[in-house]
Protein backbone atom coordinates (compact mmCIF):
# COMPACT_ATOMS: atom_id res chain seq x y z
CA UNK A 1 0.00 0.00 0.00
CA UNK A 2 2.85 2.38 0.85
CA UNK A 3 4.39 1.65 -2.54
CA UNK A 4 1.07 2.57 -4.21
CA UNK A 5 0.90 5.87 -2.34
CA UNK A 6 4.49 6.59 -3.34
CA UNK A 7 3.76 5.94 -7.04
CA UNK A 8 0.65 8.15 -6.92
CA UNK A 9 2.66 10.95 -5.29
CA UNK A 10 5.41 10.73 -7.92
CA UNK A 11 2.79 10.74 -10.72
CA UNK A 12 1.09 13.85 -9.28
CA UNK A 13 4.41 15.69 -8.91
CA UNK A 14 5.29 14.90 -12.53
CA UNK A 15 1.89 16.07 -13.75
CA UNK A 16 2.26 19.33 -11.81
CA UNK A 17 5.75 19.89 -13.19
CA UNK A 18 4.60 19.27 -16.77
CA UNK A 19 1.96 21.98 -16.39
CA UNK A 20 4.52 24.60 -15.39
CA UNK A 21 4.10 27.64 -17.61
CA UNK A 22 7.07 28.43 -19.84
CA UNK A 23 7.26 32.20 -20.02
CA UNK A 24 7.30 33.00 -23.76
CA UNK A 25 8.55 36.56 -23.21
CA UNK A 26 11.70 38.65 -23.58
CA UNK A 27 12.00 38.55 -19.78
CA UNK A 28 12.80 34.80 -19.83
CA UNK A 29 14.39 34.29 -23.27
CA UNK A 30 17.35 35.61 -25.24
CA UNK A 31 17.25 39.15 -26.65
CA UNK A 32 16.53 37.98 -30.21
CA UNK A 33 13.63 35.66 -29.32
CA UNK A 34 10.67 38.05 -29.40
CA UNK A 35 12.14 41.56 -29.45
CA UNK A 36 10.18 44.78 -29.70
CA UNK A 37 9.60 45.10 -33.48
CA UNK A 38 11.66 47.76 -35.22
CA UNK A 39 10.00 50.31 -37.45
CA UNK A 40 11.49 52.57 -40.11
CA UNK A 41 11.01 56.21 -41.14
CA UNK A 42 7.70 55.46 -42.94
CA UNK A 43 9.45 55.39 -46.31
CA UNK A 44 9.99 52.56 -48.81
CA UNK A 45 13.36 52.61 -50.62
CA UNK A 46 13.91 53.07 -54.33
CA UNK A 47 16.40 50.22 -54.65
CA UNK A 48 17.16 46.91 -52.99
CA UNK A 49 19.08 47.31 -49.73
CA UNK A 50 21.06 44.87 -47.61
CA UNK A 51 21.60 45.68 -43.95
CA UNK A 52 24.16 43.84 -41.83
CA UNK A 53 24.17 44.31 -38.04
CA UNK A 54 26.52 43.16 -35.32
CA UNK A 55 24.97 43.25 -31.82
CA UNK A 56 26.34 42.96 -28.31
CA UNK A 57 23.71 42.49 -25.58
CA UNK A 58 24.83 42.69 -21.96
CA UNK A 59 23.66 43.21 -18.40
CA UNK A 60 21.43 41.28 -15.99
CA UNK A 61 23.41 38.04 -16.24
CA UNK A 62 23.17 37.45 -20.01
CA UNK A 63 25.86 38.34 -22.57
CA UNK A 64 24.96 37.72 -26.20
CA UNK A 65 26.93 38.38 -29.38
CA UNK A 66 24.85 38.08 -32.56
CA UNK A 67 24.57 39.18 -36.15
CA UNK A 68 21.56 39.96 -38.28
CA UNK A 69 21.10 40.23 -42.05
CA UNK A 70 18.15 42.08 -43.55
CA UNK A 71 17.19 42.44 -47.22
CA UNK A 72 14.48 44.79 -48.52
CA UNK A 73 13.40 44.47 -52.15
CA UNK A 74 11.07 47.14 -53.61
CA UNK A 75 8.66 45.42 -55.98
CA UNK A 76 7.41 48.86 -56.98
CA UNK A 77 9.92 51.59 -56.20
CA UNK A 78 8.93 53.61 -53.10
CA UNK A 79 5.49 51.97 -53.04
CA UNK A 80 5.63 48.22 -52.28
CA UNK A 81 8.47 46.14 -50.91
CA UNK A 82 9.26 42.76 -49.37
CA UNK A 83 11.69 42.55 -46.46
CA UNK A 84 13.34 39.40 -45.06
CA UNK A 85 15.66 39.17 -42.07
CA UNK A 86 17.19 36.65 -39.70
CA UNK A 87 19.64 36.32 -36.83
CA UNK A 88 22.16 34.05 -38.52
CA UNK A 89 24.02 33.07 -35.36
CA UNK A 90 24.35 34.16 -31.76
CA UNK A 91 26.69 33.15 -28.97
CA UNK A 92 25.33 33.39 -25.44
CA UNK A 93 26.83 33.16 -21.99
CA UNK A 94 24.64 33.40 -18.89
CA UNK A 95 25.10 33.11 -15.13
CA UNK A 96 23.97 30.18 -12.98
CA UNK A 97 21.17 32.38 -11.66
CA UNK A 98 19.80 32.93 -15.17
CA UNK A 99 20.07 29.19 -15.94
CA UNK A 100 17.90 28.45 -12.90
CA UNK A 101 15.44 31.30 -13.59
CA UNK A 102 14.82 30.22 -17.19
CA UNK A 103 15.17 26.44 -16.61
CA UNK A 104 18.02 26.26 -19.11
CA UNK A 105 20.27 23.23 -19.57
CA UNK A 106 23.62 24.99 -19.99
CA UNK A 107 25.34 28.32 -19.43
CA UNK A 108 26.70 29.04 -22.91
CA UNK A 109 26.49 27.97 -26.51
CA UNK A 110 25.42 28.95 -30.02
CA UNK A 111 21.97 29.39 -31.56
CA UNK A 112 20.40 30.49 -34.84
CA UNK A 113 17.30 32.63 -35.09
CA UNK A 114 13.91 32.90 -36.76
CA UNK A 115 13.13 34.08 -40.28
CA UNK A 116 10.97 37.20 -40.57
CA UNK A 117 9.10 37.99 -43.79
CA UNK A 118 7.45 41.39 -44.16
CA UNK A 119 5.33 43.04 -46.85
CA UNK A 120 5.32 46.85 -46.87
CA UNK A 121 2.76 48.95 -48.76
CA UNK A 122 2.63 52.73 -49.03
CA UNK A 123 -0.93 53.84 -48.29
CA UNK A 124 -0.38 57.61 -48.44
CA UNK A 125 2.34 59.75 -49.91
CA UNK A 126 3.62 62.61 -47.80
CA UNK A 127 2.13 66.02 -48.60
CA UNK A 128 2.41 69.55 -47.34
CA UNK A 129 0.09 68.90 -44.41
CA UNK A 130 -0.26 65.11 -44.72
CA UNK A 131 2.04 62.44 -43.30
CA UNK A 132 3.28 59.45 -45.22
CA UNK A 133 1.58 56.18 -44.26
CA UNK A 134 3.05 52.69 -44.66
CA UNK A 135 1.31 49.43 -43.77
CA UNK A 136 3.50 46.50 -42.67
CA UNK A 137 2.45 42.86 -42.48
CA UNK A 138 5.02 40.54 -40.87
CA UNK A 139 5.30 36.80 -40.26
CA UNK A 140 7.78 35.33 -37.77
CA UNK A 141 8.58 31.66 -38.37
CA UNK A 142 9.51 29.07 -35.73
CA UNK A 143 12.81 28.26 -37.40
CA UNK A 144 15.03 29.31 -34.50
CA UNK A 145 16.64 26.64 -32.32
CA UNK A 146 17.82 26.18 -28.73
CA UNK A 147 14.34 26.46 -27.23
CA UNK A 148 15.47 24.20 -24.38
CA UNK A 149 18.03 26.87 -23.48
CA UNK A 150 15.47 29.66 -23.92
CA UNK A 151 17.13 31.37 -26.86
CA UNK A 152 14.26 31.29 -29.38
CA UNK A 153 10.57 30.33 -29.23
CA UNK A 154 9.37 27.06 -30.74
CA UNK A 155 6.23 28.84 -31.96
CA UNK A 156 5.42 31.26 -34.79
CA UNK A 157 4.03 34.78 -34.58
CA UNK A 158 2.89 37.71 -36.70
CA UNK A 159 2.19 41.41 -36.48
CA UNK A 160 0.53 44.21 -38.43
CA UNK A 161 1.50 47.83 -37.93
CA UNK A 162 1.09 51.26 -39.51
CA UNK A 163 3.89 53.82 -39.73
CA UNK A 164 3.12 57.54 -40.02
CA UNK A 165 5.95 59.94 -40.88
CA UNK A 166 6.21 63.68 -41.47
CA UNK A 167 9.28 65.83 -42.18
CA UNK A 168 9.77 69.48 -41.30
CA UNK A 169 12.45 71.56 -43.01
CA UNK A 170 14.30 74.16 -40.94
CA UNK A 171 15.91 77.22 -42.50
CA UNK A 172 18.96 79.00 -41.13
CA UNK A 173 19.56 76.25 -38.61
CA UNK A 174 22.24 73.64 -37.93
CA UNK A 175 19.45 71.03 -38.17
CA UNK A 176 18.31 70.79 -41.80
CA UNK A 177 15.31 68.53 -41.24
CA UNK A 178 13.25 67.08 -38.40
CA UNK A 179 11.23 63.94 -39.08
CA UNK A 180 8.64 62.55 -36.67
CA UNK A 181 7.48 58.95 -37.05
CA UNK A 182 4.86 57.03 -35.08
CA UNK A 183 4.01 53.35 -35.15
CA UNK A 184 0.93 51.46 -33.98
CA UNK A 185 0.02 47.82 -34.50
CA UNK A 186 -1.09 44.38 -33.32
CA UNK A 187 1.39 41.64 -32.34
CA UNK A 188 0.46 37.99 -31.71
CA UNK A 189 2.41 34.82 -30.89
CA UNK A 190 1.63 31.33 -29.59
CA UNK A 191 2.39 30.21 -26.03
CA UNK A 192 2.69 26.40 -25.91
CA UNK A 193 3.55 24.02 -23.09
CA UNK A 194 2.67 20.29 -22.86
CA UNK A 195 -0.79 21.16 -21.46
CA UNK A 196 -1.33 24.79 -22.40
CA UNK A 197 -1.84 26.29 -25.85
CA UNK A 198 -2.95 29.91 -25.91
CA UNK A 199 -2.26 32.99 -27.99
CA UNK A 200 -0.71 36.10 -26.51
CA UNK A 201 -1.94 39.25 -28.22
CA UNK A 202 -0.34 42.65 -27.79
CA UNK A 203 -0.74 46.25 -28.85
CA UNK A 204 2.58 47.51 -30.22
CA UNK A 205 3.54 51.18 -30.27
CA UNK A 206 6.46 53.45 -31.05
CA UNK A 207 7.56 57.04 -31.51
CA UNK A 208 10.71 58.19 -33.32
CA UNK A 209 12.40 61.57 -33.71
CA UNK A 210 15.00 61.97 -36.49
CA UNK A 211 17.30 65.01 -36.71
CA UNK A 212 19.23 65.47 -39.97
CA UNK A 213 22.27 67.58 -40.85
CA UNK A 214 23.71 67.06 -44.34
CA UNK A 215 24.83 63.40 -44.49
CA UNK A 216 24.37 62.76 -40.76
CA UNK A 217 21.17 61.86 -38.93
CA UNK A 218 20.41 61.11 -35.30
CA UNK A 219 17.43 58.92 -34.32
CA UNK A 220 15.81 58.52 -30.92
CA UNK A 221 13.14 55.82 -30.60
CA UNK A 222 10.78 54.83 -27.81
CA UNK A 223 8.79 51.63 -28.44
CA UNK A 224 7.25 48.53 -26.90
CA UNK A 225 4.25 46.23 -26.82
CA UNK A 226 1.60 45.29 -24.24
CA UNK A 227 0.45 41.66 -24.00
CA UNK A 228 -2.53 40.39 -22.03
CA UNK A 229 -0.98 37.45 -20.12
CA UNK A 230 0.10 38.31 -16.59
CA UNK A 231 0.24 35.00 -14.69
CA UNK A 232 2.99 36.27 -12.40
CA UNK A 233 4.22 39.76 -11.57
CA UNK A 234 7.28 39.64 -13.83
CA UNK A 235 5.85 37.48 -16.64
CA UNK A 236 7.20 40.08 -19.00
CA UNK A 237 5.03 40.28 -22.13
CA UNK A 238 5.07 44.08 -21.88
CA UNK A 239 8.64 45.06 -22.87
CA UNK A 240 9.59 48.70 -23.33
CA UNK A 241 12.83 50.03 -24.84
CA UNK A 242 14.59 53.26 -25.80
CA UNK A 243 17.31 53.54 -28.45
CA UNK A 244 19.58 56.21 -29.90
CA UNK A 245 21.20 55.73 -33.30
CA UNK A 246 23.72 57.79 -35.26
CA UNK A 247 23.69 57.39 -39.07
CA UNK A 248 26.36 58.56 -41.52
CA UNK A 249 25.89 58.42 -45.31
CA UNK A 250 29.11 57.76 -47.21
CA UNK A 251 28.81 57.41 -51.00
CA UNK A 252 25.25 56.00 -50.82
CA UNK A 253 26.25 53.52 -48.10
CA UNK A 254 24.75 54.10 -44.66
CA UNK A 255 26.87 53.32 -41.58
CA UNK A 256 25.36 53.42 -38.12
CA UNK A 257 25.99 52.85 -34.42
CA UNK A 258 23.19 52.36 -31.89
CA UNK A 259 22.74 52.07 -28.15
CA UNK A 260 19.53 50.53 -26.81
CA UNK A 261 18.31 50.48 -23.22
CA UNK A 262 15.72 48.06 -21.88
CA UNK A 263 13.37 50.18 -19.80
CA UNK A 264 11.06 47.38 -18.67
CA UNK A 265 10.82 43.58 -19.15
CA UNK A 266 13.72 43.62 -21.62
CA UNK A 267 16.74 42.84 -19.40
CA UNK A 268 19.44 43.87 -21.84
CA UNK A 269 21.52 46.81 -22.93
CA UNK A 270 22.54 46.73 -26.60
CA UNK A 271 25.37 48.12 -28.68
CA UNK A 272 24.86 47.74 -32.42
CA UNK A 273 27.17 48.44 -35.35
CA UNK A 274 25.87 48.13 -38.87
CA UNK A 275 25.93 49.08 -42.51
CA UNK A 276 23.18 49.41 -45.13
CA UNK A 277 24.23 48.86 -48.74
CA UNK A 278 22.08 49.72 -51.79
CA UNK A 279 22.09 47.16 -54.60
CA UNK A 280 20.71 48.96 -57.65
CA UNK A 281 21.53 46.08 -60.00
CA UNK A 282 19.37 43.69 -57.94
CA UNK A 283 16.33 45.95 -57.89
CA UNK A 284 13.30 44.56 -59.80
CA UNK A 285 11.84 46.88 -62.41
CA UNK A 286 8.51 45.29 -63.28
CA UNK A 287 7.04 48.47 -64.71
CA UNK A 288 10.02 49.62 -66.76
CA UNK A 289 9.11 50.98 -70.21
CA UNK A 290 12.02 49.02 -71.61
Amino acid sequence: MKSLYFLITVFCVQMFASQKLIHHTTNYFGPNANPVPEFTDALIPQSTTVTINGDYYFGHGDQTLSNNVKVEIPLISEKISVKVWKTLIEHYSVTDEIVARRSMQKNNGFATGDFYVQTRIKILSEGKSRPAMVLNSTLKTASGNEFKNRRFFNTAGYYFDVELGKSFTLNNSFIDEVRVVSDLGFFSWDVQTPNINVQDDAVMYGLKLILKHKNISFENTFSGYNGWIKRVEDYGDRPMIFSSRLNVNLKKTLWFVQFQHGIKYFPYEQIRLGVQIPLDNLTPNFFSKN
Side-chain angles (χ1 to χ4, degrees):
M1 183 64 70
K2 290 183 179 180
S3 298
L4 179 61
Y5 287 150
F6 175 76
L7 291 174
I8 292 174
T9 301
V10 171
F11 177 76
C12 291
V13 169
Q14 290 179 338
M15 285 294 294
F16 178 78
S18 68
Q19 293 178 359
K20 180 181 178 181
L21 178 66
I22 297 175
H23 302 327
H24 284 67
T25 71
T26 56
N27 208 25
Y28 284 86
F29 272 74
N32 297 306
N34 211 45
V36 175
E38 298 179 0
F39 61 101
T40 70
D41 51 0
L43 296 173
I44 294 175
Q46 291 182 340
S47 60
T48 297
T49 59
V50 175
T51 305
I52 303 172
N53 301 326
D55 297 325
Y56 173 50
Y57 294 94
F58 60 96
H60 311 280
D62 188 322
Q63 295 186 57
T64 300
L65 281 169
S66 63
N67 57 23
N68 182 283
V69 175
K70 183 180 298 182
V71 180
E72 182 168 8
I73 303 172
L75 304 180
I76 301 178
S77 179
E78 299 182 309
K79 295 183 182 298
I80 299 175
S81 71
V82 174
K83 185 186 292 187
V84 180
W85 68 93
K86 175 183 173 66
T87 297
L88 297 180
I89 191 169
E90 70 169 31
H91 178 267
Y92 62 91
S93 178
V94 304
T95 62
D96 291 337
E97 181 182 359
I98 294 298
V99 169
R101 170 181 169 82
R102 300 179 182 174
S103 300
M104 297 170 62
Q105 296 184 3
K106 59 182 181 179
N107 292 73
N108 57 77
F110 291 89
T112 184
D114 303 308
F115 271 106
Y116 288 77
V117 180
Q118 182 179 79
T119 301
R120 308 185 66 218
I121 302 174
K122 180 195 284 186
I123 304 300
L124 291 175
S125 296
E126 187 170 349
K128 184 175 182 180
S129 59
R130 180 183 63 203
M133 178 186 291
V134 173
L135 172 66
N136 302 316
S137 174
T138 310
L139 172 66
K140 180 181 82 71
T141 69
S143 55
N145 66 355
E146 284 294 284
F147 171 77
K148 61 184 179 182
N149 287 305
R150 308 299 182 253
R151 302 313 299 177
F152 293 94
F153 294 179
N154 60 349
T155 60
Y158 61 90
Y159 58 87
F160 302 94
D161 64 299
V162 174
E163 300 173 8
L164 294 174
K166 185 76 176 72
S167 290
F168 303 90
T169 302
L170 303 180
N171 298 319
N172 303 318
S173 174
F174 178 78
I175 302 298
D176 303 321
E177 180 184 327
V178 175
R179 186 168 182 81
V180 180
V181 184
S182 64
D183 186 65
L184 185 65
F186 172 80
F187 190 11
S188 181
W189 66 98
D190 289 334
V191 177
Q192 292 183 0
T193 67
N195 297 298
I196 299 174
N197 186 357
V198 297
Q199 182 171 283
D200 201 348
D201 302 322
V203 174
M204 49 185 285
Y205 56 87
L207 184 64
K208 179 181 296 189
L209 177 67
I210 307 174
L211 307 177
K212 298 182 180 181
H213 172 70
K214 296 183 179 179
N215 65 327
I216 298 174
S217 62
F218 182 51
E219 304 180 11
N220 287 283
T221 304
F222 170 76
S223 57
Y225 59 81
N226 256 11
W228 67 269
I229 297 178
K230 195 175 181 181
R231 304 276 178 124
V232 292
E233 183 60 30
D234 65 342
Y235 182 75
D237 62 347
R238 302 178 181 185
M240 186 184 299
I241 61 172
F242 177 81
S243 65
S244 291
R245 170 170 152 166
L246 180 65
N247 306 299
V248 180
N249 280 289
L250 295 174
K251 296 181 179 179
K252 292 187 178 182
T253 301
L254 179 70
W255 297 84
F256 55 89
V257 57
Q258 173 178 294
F259 174 77
Q260 178 177 284
H261 169 63
I263 300 173
K264 184 178 181 182
Y265 296 143
F266 191 78
Y268 303 95
E269 311 302 316
Q270 178 213 57
I271 296 175
R272 167 174 286 182
L273 299 175
V275 59
Q276 184 179 93
I277 305 169
L279 299 175
D280 295 334
N281 293 335
L282 297 181
T283 303
N285 199 358
F286 298 122
F287 295 91
S288 172
K289 293 181 181 180
N290 297 326

